[in-house]
């Protein structure tokens, strides 16, 4: 087993935490001369909460996903990374990232932000990063923002 990573999956959702994770992913991808997979999961559970599930919500979610991943792709390209893949999926991010996307893209490292949940939320549902850490088939790096430190 080598000590370099070949396929690095970074979870991006538009949050400040994900922004930090992405910046760290860029550094690690370049250092390892690896492929980067920009993964965004459209959380369909938020749609279910709205009774009349209408297309405009999903259209907006898709437009957001597309803009977000495009922006990150441009940033990755500008930093000199050439092997970039975009992975957009639907469902629960904490399930999709470790159980589906990491396997589908054969990731050997998942990078995600430490999600900012309050204590009560963390007790009830656990953070996305905790779930990913528990069920990932590969190494996981949870990146903390400066405010977390």
């Amino acid at each position: 087993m080598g000590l370099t990573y070949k396929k690095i999956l970074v979870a991006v959702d538009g949050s400040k935490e994900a922004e930090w994770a992405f910046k760290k992913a860029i550094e690690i991808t370049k250092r390892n001369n690896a492929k980067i997979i920009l993964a965004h999961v459209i959380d369909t559970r938020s749609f279910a909460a709205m009774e009349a599930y209408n297309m405009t919500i999903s259209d907006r979610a898709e437009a957001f996903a597309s803009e977000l991943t495009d922006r990150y792709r441009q940033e990755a390209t500008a930093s000199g990374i050439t092997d970039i893949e975009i992975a957009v999926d639907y469902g629960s991010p904490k399930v999709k990232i470790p159980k589906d996307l990491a396997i589908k893209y054969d990731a050997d490292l998942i990078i995600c932000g430490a999600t900012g949940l309050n204590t009560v939320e963390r007790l009830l549902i656990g953070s996305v990063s905790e779930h990913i850490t528990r069920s990932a088939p590969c190494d996981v790096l949870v990146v903390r923002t400066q405010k977390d430190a």
Side-chain angles (χ1 to χ4, degrees), residues 3-18:
L3 293 174
T4 57
Y5 294 110
K6 306 233 178 320
K7 295 178 185 170
I8 298 168
L9 185 143
V10 58
V12 293
D13 62 5
S15 68
K16 196 78 211 127
E17 288 83 8

Side-chain angles (χ1 to χ4, degrees), residues 18 38 41 47 55-56 59 65 70 78 80 82 89 92 106-107 129 133 140 142:
L38 303 169
V41 177
F47 300 161
M55 285 317 287
T56 58
D59 287 348
D70 278 353
T82 51
D89 206 343
S92 163
D106 195 24
S129 52
T133 307
V140 178
V142 179

Side-chain angles (χ1 to χ4, degrees), residues 44-52:
T44 48
R45 294 166 311 165
S46 57
F47 300 161
M50 292 159 215
E51 249 172 59

Side-chain angles (χ1 to χ4, degrees), residues 10-29:
V10 58
V12 293
D13 62 5
S15 68
K16 196 78 211 127
E17 288 83 8
E19 187 71 36
W20 281 80
F22 172 74
K23 297 223 180 311
K24 185 78 72 166
I26 289 286
E27 288 171 31
I28 296 169
T29 301

